[in-house]
Amino acid sequence: MYGTVETIPDLCKRCYSCVRECPAIAIRVEHGQAVVMSERCIACGHCVTVCSQNAKHTKSEAGYVLGEVIPRGNVVAVVAPSFPASFPENFPKVASALRKLGFSKVCEAAFGADLISPKYLSEIERNGKKTIISSACPAIYNYIEMYFSELVPKLAKIVSPMVAMGRYVKETFGKDTSVVFIGPCIAKKSECHDEKVEGAIDAVLTFAELKQMLNENNIDLSDLDESEFDPPEGLVGKSFPLAGGLIKTADIPGDILEKEIIVVEGRSKVEEILHELLNNKINARFIDILFCEGCIKGPAIDSNLNYYSRREKVINYIHDRMRAADKQVWKSNIYNARNIDLSREFENRDKRLPAPDEEQIKEILAQTNKFSKQDELNCRACGYLSCREYAIAIAKGLAENDMCLPYMIDKLEKAYKELQETQEQLQSAEKLASIGQLAAGVAHEINNPLGTILLYTSLLKKDLEKKLESHQPIEDLELIAEETNRCKNIVSNLLNFARQGRLKISDVDVYDLINTILKPVRVRPEFKGISFSVECEADDTTIKGDSDQLKQVFMNVINNACEALEESEQKRVTIKISKDDTFINIEIKDTGSGIPKENMGKLFTPFFTTKKMGKGTGLGLAIVYGIIKMHKGDIRAASDPGKGTAFNIKLPLNLQ
Ligand code: ADP
Ligand code: MG
């Protein structure tokens, strides 16, 4: 089958609107892309209309018409009677525009409708009580041939107005005349390529495509003069695009109209009537079916008007033209066309796939976590009417598991949880690794003083043994004590570090905490001469945090600031507290030695110290960093070597 509609790869965003809208289940989702299967497509064009992403594209013959058909000469444009709805402002200029594009003649398809209408009347009369289904809408007869093939014998063996007009033009204007149909319908494109009506129509354009062609050729309808269509003019056939238009055109008598005629339009009603017909529940003699709600609702009508305004436009046009038309000329045109063959055949092209058995359906439902009836939500997010229909589509190879939204959400939630767990594991593994690194460093650091301790202890031992007093045992003992203290410091810092894993959250008043820390610092003899000031811009400085650990943070930073002031003339430590909506900011600034640029990157690394042996352990800022990160805060240092340093600490007000 001619592939009328195609999917543009990657534009499809998995909304499944087209799946929902496709009456033929002709859309298969492959790797997330909804692809039209040309062999199952009835060319109704609904998927094109509903796709908000423009991922469905109608094959255009515009290039072929402009590049090959028109240059051949002797080309007739046949315009569908719904054109006033597509060109509401300028419809009397459409014929002029088409001539400007290069068409030799511009005729109305309405005359084709006038030609076939009497055929319907005689077919109904000839068939007696048997039901006849109209075959003017190609989407409908495609649908019947492919999915309701038992109804094929009921299709009226009469061509559509388009094909009737094509045959008329070729018969009347010469066999070498080319015919291009222009209308609101996408299915007409598939009809043009239908072998059973071959040769009647050379190409089909939609109104949307025509507008684009006019645009590309700088033809502006408003600049053109109004002009008439070329003969033959159609009469009641002009009402064909409206609901019941065929019945009106065929002038079917009132008694039949009353009870034995059904007019059906629109997708859901179409499906309903075809099922009813299949089940022999309908006894009407004639059923006129259109896939859209009249051709004025055709997928390529390209009109800004609503349904009722479109209808009004077409009706006004019909009234105006009917008054002006020469009925005698029309009658003789119809008479002259009496020998044109307006019949066609239809065939069984059954595309229904065998239904899967119950076991298979159950198995597929289970794959998307549906084990009982309650699990079947029938939410229709996949585009199918129910979970069961969806499972059947999967069994037929038309759908994928990933189209089930609740199943995908569950899957996503599970994956997210797993990811979170992995992340937590990774974090603790990282922590363990850094603790291991730390332990290795500690071992190295402790080894040296311990070596010294051992050496001097053995010396002392020997001295005492020999009872020699010249080795100054007092000084040696002092050295031992000093080095042992160093070990003690390292180990106690290490213990603090290890304790960081857990936070004991409570209300912490940062301002109070800092003042409490400063009290003993102010009186420490080694920090004599330092002036401290605490400036607070915030009225409430309470945050959520671990009081002990935050104490450690401020103590370490303040100690560093004080230690950096040793050589400075001006000894000042300024602490500023401020806050915004989410964070409290503490700046601890000193007028000390500053930090050389090359050391800035190493400040928070364990064991980085520039202090004398026995003074610094290099663990203070590493601990500070760890605690602040645990509090989801941040610490940054800015320093001006020789002038001083400022540490900026940021802590969330409400740690979650
Ligand atoms: P320690 O105090 O044992 O040296 P820290 O981790 O507390 O270890 O600090 C690491 C190093 O960062 C210090 O040795 C020092 O070189 C530098 N430092 C930290 N704070 C300051 C400061 N306020 N002024 C100058 N240098 C600082
Ligand atoms: Mg320190």
Side-chain angles (χ1 to χ4, degrees):
M1 170 118 179
Y2 178 75
T4 313
V5 182
E6 298 164 323
T7 298
I8 304 169
D10 300 328
L11 284 189
C12 173
K13 296 285 182 289
R14 295 176 184 234
C15 71
Y16 306 135
S17 295
C18 56
V19 176
R20 206 166 294 129
E21 207 52 40
C22 178
I25 318 184
I27 293 172
R28 179 171 40 218
V29 177
E30 289 173 8
H31 312 299
Q33 296 285 296
V35 180
V36 179
M37 292 175 282
S38 59
E39 72 280 9
R40 293 182 62 83
C41 175
I42 62 166
C44 67
H46 275 51
C47 56
V48 181
T49 326
V50 297
C51 182
S52 62
Q53 303 300 306
N54 296 323
K56 297 283 180 290
H57 161 80
T58 319
K59 249 191 222 167
S60 172
E61 289 181 307
Y64 167 65
V65 169
L66 281 179
E68 291 186 44
V69 185
I70 290 179
R72 282 206 292 259
N74 210 10
V75 192
V76 177
V78 170
V79 181
S82 53
F83 76 98
S86 182
F87 296 88
E89 307 302 328
N90 290 306
F91 67 88
K93 298 175 175 181
V94 168
S96 307
L98 286 164
R99 288 189 192 103
K100 196 143 196 226
L101 263 183
F103 287 96
S104 338
K105 280 195 169 73
V106 185
C107 297
E108 280 189 283
F111 186 73
D114 286 337
L115 285 177
I116 61 161
S117 302
K119 304 278 171 206
Y120 271 96
L121 195 55
S122 49
E123 184 97 349
I124 293 167
E125 280 164 1
R126 198 169 49 82
N127 254 280
K129 288 279 170 207
K130 277 196 265 167
T131 307
I132 293 172
I133 302 173
S134 64
S135 56
C137 171
I140 290 294
Y141 71 69
N142 279 338
Y143 198 27
I144 291 177
E145 284 187 324
M146 293 156 89
Y147 301 100
F148 296 87
S149 51
E150 295 84 346
L151 302 178
V152 167
K154 293 189 192 300
L155 281 167
K157 292 181 176 179
I158 302 168
V159 293
S160 67
M162 173 183 87
V163 173
M165 197 56 195
R167 286 187 186 169
Y168 173 87
V169 167
K170 301 228 170 179
E171 205 63 43
T172 317
F173 304 156
K175 291 260 177 282
D176 61 341
T177 313
S178 302
V179 181
V180 176
F181 178 83
I182 305 162
C185 181
I186 288 174
K188 288 277 179 226
K189 288 174 183 275
S190 83
E191 186 180 19
C192 171
H193 293 270
D194 185 341
E195 284 171 7
K196 285 178 246 72
V197 291
E198 208 176 3
I201 301 290
D202 295 85
V204 168
L205 298 173
T206 63
F207 287 140
E209 286 159 4
L210 172 62
K211 285 179 192 175
Q212 200 181 338
M213 282 163 83
L214 294 174
N215 219 357
E216 284 166 7
N217 287 277
N218 298 319
I219 300 173
D220 186 347
L221 267 94
S222 49
D223 296 342
L224 302 177
D225 292 330
E226 296 184 2
S227 70
E228 299 278 327
F229 283 95
D230 289 293
E233 173 154 25
L235 274 187
V236 199
K238 287 182 166 66
S239 64
F240 234 76
L242 305 173
L246 170 60
I247 286 156
K248 191 155 183 53
T249 315
D251 204 13
I252 292 167
D255 61 325
I256 302 179
L257 260 179
E258 269 165 29
K259 43 185 187 305
E260 296 188 298
I261 300 270
I262 297 176
V263 178
V264 182
E265 33 162 53
R267 186 202 146 173
S268 57
K269 286 192 199 139
V270 165
E271 273 181 65
E272 196 180 7
I273 189 102
L274 293 180
H275 280 291
E276 290 293 278
L277 279 166
L278 213 56
N279 297 326
N280 291 318
K281 297 244 175 81
I282 303 281
N283 296 313
R285 285 174 65 189
F286 180 58
I287 302 171
D288 182 19
I289 319 184
L290 291 176
F291 212 98
C292 306
E293 289 163 55
C295 306
I296 54 166
K297 263 297 217 44
I301 185 94
D302 195 26
S303 172
N304 295 328
L305 302 181
N306 65 36
Y307 173 78
Y308 300 100
S309 301
R310 290 179 200 180
R311 194 168 169 273
E312 203 173 280
K313 275 278 165 197
V314 174
I315 290 172
N316 286 344
Y317 172 70
I318 296 171
H319 283 173
D320 289 351
R321 292 306 307 175
M322 291 285 273
R323 270 196 291 273
D326 186 331
K327 312 245 174 2
Q328 282 312 316
V329 173
W330 176 80
K331 268 186 192 161
S332 79
N333 283 335
I334 294 280
Y335 179 77
N336 291 338
R338 68 193 176 283
N339 291 327
I340 294 170
D341 179 13
L342 297 175
S343 67
R344 64 158 294 165
E345 291 299 320
F346 293 98
E347 64 175 334
N348 178 345
R349 291 189 280 142
D350 204 337
K351 293 286 183 239
R352 284 170 290 190
L353 296 166
D357 58 37
E358 267 318 301
E359 255 330 282
Q360 218 180 332
I361 297 174
K362 258 193 198 162
E363 209 173 284
I364 293 168
L365 284 170
Q367 280 168 15
T368 51
N369 298 340
K370 292 165 192 67
F371 303 100
S372 69
K373 268 269 163 245
Q374 280 99 303
D375 296 333
E376 293 173 31
L377 299 178
N378 299 329
C379 70
R380 302 187 60 183
C382 59
Y384 289 89
L385 284 174
S386 63
C387 298
R388 208 184 138 79
E389 290 291 322
Y390 171 50
I392 293 171
I394 294 179
K396 289 178 177 174
L398 302 173
E400 292 178 332
N401 274 349
D402 286 359
M403 291 161 72
C404 176
L405 192 66
Y407 164 70
M408 285 307 282
I409 292 173
D410 275 357
K411 213 167 136 178
L412 215 67
E413 272 175 357
K414 232 166 115 187
Y416 182 68
K417 224 167 147 187
E418 274 170 22
L419 204 72
Q420 248 181 343
E421 275 168 20
T422 318
Q423 207 175 2
E424 275 162 24
Q425 277 170 12
L426 219 68
Q427 271 171 355
S428 66
E430 216 175 299
K431 225 179 273 168
L432 281 176
S434 60
I435 288 170
Q437 237 176 352
L438 200 67
V442 171
H444 174 78
E445 285 292 310
I446 287 180
N447 261 350
N448 290 340
L450 285 183
T452 320
I453 295 166
L454 276 174
L455 177 70
Y456 283 95
T457 316
S458 68
L459 283 177
L460 262 174
K461 202 174 152 221
K462 273 186 198 159
D463 281 353
L464 285 171
E465 273 168 6
K466 291 177 190 166
K467 295 208 180 354
L468 283 175
E469 280 172 43
S470 56
H471 270 264
Q472 303 168 319
I474 304 291
E475 277 171 45
D476 293 344
L477 279 170
E478 273 170 4
L479 198 65
I480 292 167
E482 206 176 293
E483 291 290 58
T484 315
N485 263 329
R486 192 175 156 211
C487 291
K488 229 180 95 200
N489 265 338
I490 292 169
V491 173
S492 87
N493 275 333
L494 193 61
L495 280 175
N496 282 332
F497 197 84
R499 253 184 248 129
Q500 277 175 43
R502 277 159 275 125
L503 288 182
K504 252 170 57 198
I505 305 286
S506 64
D507 282 340
V508 182
D509 190 327
V510 173
Y511 180 72
D512 283 350
L513 189 73
I514 288 173
N515 281 315
T516 317
I517 294 164
L518 282 179
K519 256 186 211 157
V521 174
R522 285 179 202 268
V523 295
R524 264 165 68 177
E526 66 267 42
F527 297 154
K528 212 175 140 206
I530 301 177
S531 74
F532 295 92
S533 71
V534 184
E535 296 166 21
C536 183
E537 286 170 15
D539 42 15
D540 182 9
T541 50
T542 312
I543 64 161
K544 293 268 180 235
D546 184 316
S547 174
D548 285 340
Q549 297 206 32
L550 289 176
K551 195 172 176 183
Q552 180 96 44
V553 166
F554 297 121
M555 197 129 82
N556 287 359
V557 178
I558 292 170
N559 269 339
N560 281 347
C562 296
E563 282 163 9
L565 289 167
E566 209 180 317
E567 314 277 359
S568 304
E569 262 184 56
Q570 202 194 21
K571 299 178 197 286
R572 177 182 292 280
V573 175
T574 318
I575 300 167
K576 270 188 198 157
I577 307 169
S578 63
K579 74 171 184 181
D580 54 29
D581 285 351
T582 39
F583 288 97
I584 192 157
N585 302 295
I586 306 106
E587 185 195 65
I588 299 168
K589 200 170 164 185
D590 62 62
T591 50
S593 60
I595 304 165
K597 228 175 166 183
E598 64 271 22
N599 287 350
M600 289 298 282
K602 305 176 207 162
L603 293 180
F604 302 103
T605 313
F607 302 113
F608 170 72
T609 179
T610 54
K611 290 166 194 166
K612 272 187 256 151
M613 270 278 266
K615 265 223 154 169
T617 61
L619 281 172
L621 286 180
I623 291 166
V624 164
Y625 187 81
I627 296 172
I628 288 175
K629 283 293 149 195
M630 290 276 296
H631 279 79
K632 297 187 180 149
D634 199 12
I635 177 164
R636 272 151 211 240
S639 187
D640 202 349
K643 291 195 176 155
T645 304
F647 277 86
N648 273 292
I649 297 167
K650 201 168 141 176
L651 291 164
L653 300 177
N654 252 314
L655 181 65
Q656 303 288 346

